[in-house]
Amino acid sequence: MKIQELLATAWQSLIANPKRSLLTVIGIVIGIASVITIISLGNGVEQATLKNLQTTQTGKQSITIDYIPYNPSKPTPGFNQSDIDLLTVQHDIGIDKATLPKEPDNPFQSNVLVNDANQTASLSLVKPTQLAIIAGYQISAQDRQLKNQVAMISRSFAKKCFRTTINALHTALIINGYSYQVIGVISTDNSADIYLPKETYLANQTSTSGNRLKLTFQTGSNVSKQAKKAVKLLQQSGSQRSLGDYYYFDAGALLSGISKVIKGLTYFISAIAGISLFIAGIGVMNMMYISVSERTKEIGIRLAIGATPTLIMWQFLLEAIILTVSGGLIGFALGYGTAVLISLMLPFNAVITLNTFFLAFGVSSSVGLVFGILPAKQAADKNLIDILR
């Protein structure tokens, strides 16, 4: 008997009892749909997270190298054009572009000289918004327009450096060699330690020098490895290597770590949802055992006209596989549709991949094979003499 005939016979046997077949398929549909929904949403979370952390729209990863001077009271910037040429021209380490960003991320870390002591603080460039002042006064539009060297600090930073908020007023903060007078203390401690007028800070920066260098790497580069090479090269040949040190944040390692965590959580939750597939497989096995018992005469007739036990086994095994694969394909479509609907209420889109489809097809086929083999073997082992009796 050809495979086409076996498939046709198996299909006809299943549609002969459509209600039982449908109820058995529903268990597979629910199990596969649950797994596909979770994986699609997990892929969406991963893609959205990595996209937000990447610094370019083309998918290229970037890092920033910060220069921290040993003596922050000196205004000498850590990077200039010679450092850019050193990294991009003299030594080819996979850098696509090196720039000196004039406006840093908000907030950003910086070394600050307070009361002749170095402090690492987070800085934020104040925009035209109101902050809750508890001492002193707000940075005004006039301060921004005239580029006055003024600053506001958080309550926690004031207590840390000056003990009280009143003591902090009218003191000086040295940031990148420029002095800023503290004119106000704010109540919030959630965003940054120090707030500067954006116009003033940018006026103190230049496009040809600065204490932060942004490197964008070529597609396919090992960012972590290349960044370490760049920092090592700067430490050996940087223009201000004797006056400070270079630090960078390994974004590549962060992206890789986040990706692994999200994938791990997705697979863990999918495995829990996959328990329903085991239950559905038991249902398939139970149905096939019932089918074998009800069709004893049919098996005897097939054996009598020349069918071999192997063909009998394959017929019943194919019935189980058809049930589970059909449920898997329906569950795949239902799971993806559910994920898309859920993602409409979330800030990311569900992502389906070809591997996800193969997973649904492979798992559903495996369930049919594993849970259908014993009933199929029982059908194949029936003896024609016993059936005739």
Side-chain angles (χ1 to χ4, degrees):
M1 187 179 289
K2 296 181 179 180
I3 186 65
Q4 295 89 341
E5 295 175 351
L6 282 173
L7 287 171
T9 303
W11 176 252
Q12 289 172 1
S13 299
L14 291 174
I15 62 176
N17 198 331
K19 291 183 180 179
R20 185 167 63 188
S21 298
L22 180 61
L23 290 173
T24 305
V25 165
I26 288 176
I28 302 296
V29 170
I30 294 174
I32 294 294
S34 301
V35 173
I36 297 302
T37 299
I38 294 170
I39 291 178
S40 299
L41 293 175
N43 289 340
V45 171
E46 180 184 2
Q47 188 177 89
T49 302
L50 297 183
K51 183 178 180 181
N52 290 334
L53 290 175
Q54 284 177 335
T55 55
T56 66
Q57 294 181 349
T58 59
K60 297 177 180 178
Q61 289 180 218
S62 297
I63 63 142
T64 55
I65 299 177
D66 291 303
Y67 175 78
I68 307 297
Y70 298 133
N71 187 355
S73 61
K74 292 186 178 181
T76 304
F79 299 107
N80 54 40
Q81 189 60 42
S82 66
D83 296 303
I84 295 177
D85 293 339
L86 174 70
L87 295 174
T88 58
V89 180
Q90 298 180 27
H91 296 78
D92 184 11
I93 55 175
I95 295 175
D96 186 62
K97 184 172 62 174
T99 57
L100 292 162
K102 194 171 185 180
E103 182 176 352
D105 298 331
N106 199 16
F108 59 97
Q109 296 292 319
S110 181
N111 202 7
V112 182
L113 185 64
V114 185
N115 292 333
D116 296 325
N118 289 327
Q119 299 282 349
T120 299
S122 59
L123 276 61
S124 178
L125 303 185
V126 176
K127 297 180 180 178
T129 57
Q130 294 295 318
L131 297 173
I133 291 290
I134 59 174
Y137 59 90
Q138 182 86 232
I139 292 176
S140 65
Q142 185 177 12
D143 289 325
R144 294 193 297 270
Q145 184 177 4
L146 297 178
K147 300 180 178 60
N148 291 332
Q149 303 282 128
V150 294
M152 297 185 301
I153 62 176
S154 68
R155 175 169 49 191
S156 61
F157 190 74
K159 290 182 178 181
K160 175 184 176 182
C161 299
F162 305 102
R163 294 189 178 180
T164 67
T165 56
I166 299 300
N167 290 342
L169 295 177
H170 309 300
T171 57
L173 306 175
I174 307 299
I175 303 172
N176 293 337
Y178 295 92
S179 177
Y180 294 84
Q181 184 183 30
V182 177
I183 62 171
V185 180
I186 64 173
S187 61
T188 179
D189 296 325
N190 296 326
S191 180
D193 298 317
I194 302 172
Y195 298 80
L196 306 176
K198 180 177 179 180
E199 293 79 2
T200 305
Y201 181 85
L202 295 182
N204 292 335
Q205 308 300 307
T206 66
S207 58
T208 57
S209 63
N211 285 333
R212 172 167 289 192
L213 184 65
K214 181 178 180 180
L215 303 180
T216 302
F217 292 89
Q218 297 170 1
T219 303
S221 298
N222 186 327
V223 176
S224 298
K225 183 178 179 180
Q226 301 301 81
K228 290 178 182 177
K229 286 184 179 180
V231 171
K232 184 177 180 180
L233 184 59
L234 287 168
Q235 290 171 341
Q236 293 174 347
S237 307
S239 60
Q240 303 297 324
R241 62 188 181 279
S242 61
L243 301 177
D245 208 349
Y246 304 92
Y247 301 91
Y248 83 100
F249 178 73
D250 193 347
L254 173 66
L255 292 174
S256 177
I258 289 176
S259 177
K260 289 179 180 178
V261 170
I262 294 175
K263 284 182 178 178
L265 289 173
T266 300
Y267 292 147
F268 175 72
I269 298 173
S270 298
I272 295 175
I275 294 175
S276 60
L277 286 173
F278 178 79
I279 299 172
I282 298 296
V284 171
M285 180 182 287
N286 182 58
M287 175 200 165
M288 294 307 300
Y289 272 125
I290 294 173
S291 179
V292 170
S293 300
E294 291 177 347
R295 294 159 60 187
T296 301
K297 291 183 179 180
E298 176 189 333
I299 295 171
I301 293 172
R302 291 187 182 280
L303 290 172
I305 61 176
T308 64
T310 301
L311 288 176
I312 298 295
M313 184 182 71
W314 271 109
Q315 178 186 340
F316 283 90
L317 189 58
L318 283 174
E319 289 180 21
I321 293 175
I322 289 173
L323 277 174
T324 56
V325 170
S326 299
L329 295 177
I330 297 171
F332 174 82
L334 180 62
Y336 180 55
T338 303
V340 170
L341 290 176
I342 293 175
S343 67
L344 294 176
M345 298 177 286
L346 299 173
F348 59 86
N349 297 322
V351 176
I352 200 74
T353 63
L354 190 60
N355 289 337
T356 310
F357 173 80
F358 287 141
L359 176 66
F361 183 82
V363 169
S364 58
S365 300
S366 299
V367 169
L369 187 63
V370 171
F371 291 93
I373 187 68
L374 290 178
K377 192 174 185 304
Q378 184 188 62
D381 289 342
K382 286 187 176 294
N383 187 280
L384 179 59
I385 303 300
D386 295 334
I387 294 174
L388 292 176
R389 287 176 183 172

